[in-house]
Amino acid sequence: MAIGVWISLFAYFALMIVIGLWAMRTSSATAEDYMLGGRALSPKVAALSAGASDMSGWLLGLPGALYVTGLASAWIGIGLFVGAFINWVVVAPRLREQTVHYGNALTIPAFLANRFPTKALPLRTVSAIVIVLFFAVYTASGLVAGGKLFESAFAGIFNFGGMSDYAAGIVITLGVVLAYTVVGGFLAVSMTDFVQGCIMMLALVIMPAVVLFGEGGGGFAQASETLNSVDPTLLSWTEGLTVIGWLSAVTWGLGYFGQPHIIVRFMAIRTVGEVGTARNIGMSWMGISLIGAIALGVFGRAYAVRNGLDVADPETIFIVLSDLLFHPLITGFLYAALLAAVMSTISSQLLVSSASLTEDFYRLFLRKEATDKECVNVGRACVVAVGLVAAFIASDPDSQVLGLVSNAWAGFGAAFGPLIILALTWPRTNGAGALAGLIVGAATVMIWISLGWNGEFMGGPGVYEIIPGFIAAFIAIVVVTLATSDAGEYQHIER
């Protein structure tokens, strides 16, 4: 492995840890500082932090899907873009305002408990369980992506003491994330996300451009000709895509409303008035990044065919092309971009899980009188604990990144999405309806997956589990709310 690659990677690792140490100056003062950055994020940091924590290991998964199926998989990206925009418009300003209004909640479970006081304890407990459960799987998907990077890029280097390159990738990725997350908390995670978001976007502009117009690329015309010769459906948006497959792809966007690691950024923006600025920055960043990921997957396939590349695992196309096309220093930067996509999400998920374990279990059930300093220390221990569980789940090198992401994304989207939307926009929603929707949404997704009804959602007969989960949860909230009433909650809202 060229020394230039190591220089770039170690520079990246060092920068992340330095940011964590810098953030430690203010993150240890109170629980609000450690878990929510004192609600003082600027629009640009909030926007790129929300975006970077979203585009995780699927920076491997989406180009990999496009590499195999062609433009039909781009509907996933389109659905995500539309869902993210609606999330910024509908959820962001209301959540920022209402989490402060209802008891200055620091976590989503705490907000739900404050919003629906008659069902506060069961809502807080069940939502915290759902968060920790699905985030363990979601975090594992990021570690799988880190393991695949090291397995593909550093083959044989870490094979010592019985440790494989894949296992070494998991250990190194998790170790660096824990280093800056444990010491710096939410502010460190948000600031590193901002830097990582810039790196990711730059990489997703550079890579497709070189693949198309660099040596061996041939430009749009030759790339299109190559793809048509392999399979004409690769350049079709609809060929071979069933109605169910299309719905399963575009409905990924429904997941945004219920992703705690994303919507928690809305809670941390400095003021409600700055949400619009953050939205414009975030959506511009996301549009550029999605176009780059789509172009990389499709035209990366054309480049591989034209140049006789054997890409055994389509989810490693980013890694293969980084190593082949660029100077070692740039290759190291591109590897850092991939790790940035992975680590930004892992750190956000670990912190949200830690906040729920600390605020919604430890402080609620074990130590009601716990001081802020004690809660910060417990939160740090929980970050490590959740990370270790995720590493265990990720230990299977045959895990598929996009598959793990899709399951966890659907779980959060169905459990929290309808509930967050209705809690913020429909004052009639009550605690019984909220609890019913939370349980029905999570249970539907898990049952759907366990029965195998999700299938190969991009072309097979299966239906992506977020569709039945989201619909069932929405119906449950509305039906149970209309069938019950609680005047105490309405008075609570009016006050």
Side-chain angles (χ1 to χ4, degrees):
M1 179 61 60
I3 190 66
V5 174
W6 292 111
I7 291 173
S8 295
L9 277 178
F10 278 112
Y12 166 72
F13 290 147
L15 178 60
M16 297 301 102
I17 294 173
V18 167
I19 292 174
L21 293 172
W22 171 82
M24 186 173 63
R25 300 177 307 166
T26 58
S27 65
S28 300
T30 67
E32 183 179 27
D33 291 330
Y34 186 77
M35 298 173 188
L36 217 55
R39 296 188 192 270
L41 292 190
S42 67
K44 63 179 182 294
V45 173
L48 264 66
S49 181
S53 61
D54 163 26
M55 287 184 66
S56 58
W58 70 262
L59 187 61
L60 276 177
L62 183 58
L66 284 151
Y67 184 95
V68 175
T69 66
L71 285 176
S73 291
W75 287 107
I76 297 176
I78 295 170
L80 288 169
F81 186 86
V82 174
F85 179 77
I86 298 173
N87 201 29
W88 274 106
V89 172
V90 175
V91 174
R94 292 172 175 83
L95 191 64
R96 173 61 177 87
E97 182 179 26
Q98 292 189 32
T99 49
V100 174
H101 177 71
Y102 293 116
N104 194 33
L106 302 183
T107 66
I108 295 300
F111 163 66
L112 295 175
N114 294 345
R115 170 68 172 81
F116 305 108
T118 62
K119 293 291 186 290
L121 186 59
L123 267 175
R124 198 163 182 176
T125 304
V126 173
S127 56
I129 290 172
V130 171
I131 283 176
V132 175
L133 175 65
F134 282 117
F135 266 149
V137 177
Y138 208 151
T139 304
S141 73
L143 294 177
V144 170
K148 285 192 174 187
L149 168 62
F150 279 79
E151 186 177 44
S152 299
F154 307 118
I157 291 181
F158 295 100
N159 283 325
F160 57 88
M163 177 178 286
S164 66
D165 295 313
Y166 177 83
I170 290 177
V171 171
I172 293 172
T173 301
L174 181 61
V176 175
V177 169
L178 289 178
Y180 68 77
T181 304
V182 167
V183 300
F186 187 88
L187 183 58
V189 170
S190 297
M191 292 303 298
T192 53
D193 282 353
F194 176 79
V195 174
Q196 289 164 335
C198 294
I199 294 173
M200 289 159 57
M201 185 176 70
L202 187 57
L204 287 171
V205 170
I206 293 173
M207 177 77 81
V210 173
V211 166
L212 269 177
F213 303 112
E215 184 178 351
F220 285 108
Q222 290 192 31
S224 299
E225 181 181 340
T226 300
L227 291 171
N228 277 320
S229 68
V230 174
D231 184 352
T233 64
L234 292 173
L235 290 177
S236 171
W237 294 85
T238 58
E239 195 86 22
L241 185 64
T242 65
V243 173
I244 292 177
W246 179 82
L247 283 174
S248 294
V250 297
T251 49
W252 273 65
L254 290 175
Y256 271 107
F257 311 116
Q259 304 300 319
H261 62 300
I262 296 175
I263 61 179
V264 72
R265 264 62 186 178
F266 304 156
M267 297 162 58
I269 297 176
R270 278 189 306 226
T271 65
V272 177
E274 291 181 313
V275 169
T277 303
R279 178 193 66 232
N280 295 337
I281 295 171
M283 294 311 300
S284 299
W285 177 91
M286 185 177 185
I288 294 170
S289 299
L290 280 173
I291 291 171
I294 291 169
L296 174 61
V298 174
F299 296 116
R301 173 73 176 271
Y303 185 93
V305 172
R306 283 175 54 81
N307 294 277
L309 297 182
D310 180 19
V311 183
D313 183 352
E315 289 190 338
T316 63
I317 183 62
F318 185 100
I319 302 168
V320 171
L321 294 176
S322 297
D323 189 45
L324 183 66
L325 298 177
F326 297 92
H327 183 277
L329 282 173
I330 305 300
T331 299
F333 169 81
L334 294 171
Y335 287 170
L338 182 55
L339 282 170
V342 172
M343 291 165 61
S344 60
T345 303
I346 293 175
S347 60
S348 298
Q349 292 163 345
L350 290 177
L351 194 63
V352 171
S353 300
S354 165
S356 280
L357 287 171
T358 304
E359 291 290 308
D360 305 314
F361 282 114
Y362 183 79
R363 194 172 230 173
L364 189 62
F365 295 111
L366 301 178
R367 290 270 296 171
K368 288 183 171 60
E369 70 281 5
T371 64
D372 273 346
K373 183 176 181 180
E374 181 180 346
C375 286
V376 169
N377 291 331
V378 170
R380 286 172 169 152
C382 289
V383 167
V384 176
V386 176
L388 293 176
V389 171
F392 175 77
I393 296 172
S395 60
D396 178 9
D398 294 325
S399 300
Q400 293 297 306
V401 176
L402 195 61
L404 289 172
V405 170
S406 68
N407 292 341
W409 183 268
F412 281 125
F416 288 105
L419 176 53
I420 292 295
I421 292 172
L422 291 172
L424 296 173
T425 62
W426 190 34
R428 177 72 171 82
T429 311
N430 64 20
L435 187 60
L438 185 63
I439 295 173
V440 168
T444 301
V445 166
M446 289 189 287
I447 292 171
W448 205 265
I449 294 171
S450 65
L451 293 174
W453 291 350
N454 52 337
E456 295 293 333
F457 62 86
M458 280 306 300
V463 175
Y464 185 28
E465 56 269 21
I466 199 172
I467 299 176
F470 195 95
I471 294 173
F474 203 100
I475 292 173
I477 296 170
V478 173
V479 170
V480 174
T481 294
L482 294 177
T484 59
S485 64
D486 195 322
E489 287 186 355
Y490 305 141
Q491 293 169 7
H492 171 72
I493 293 170
E494 290 171 3
R495 289 199 301 272

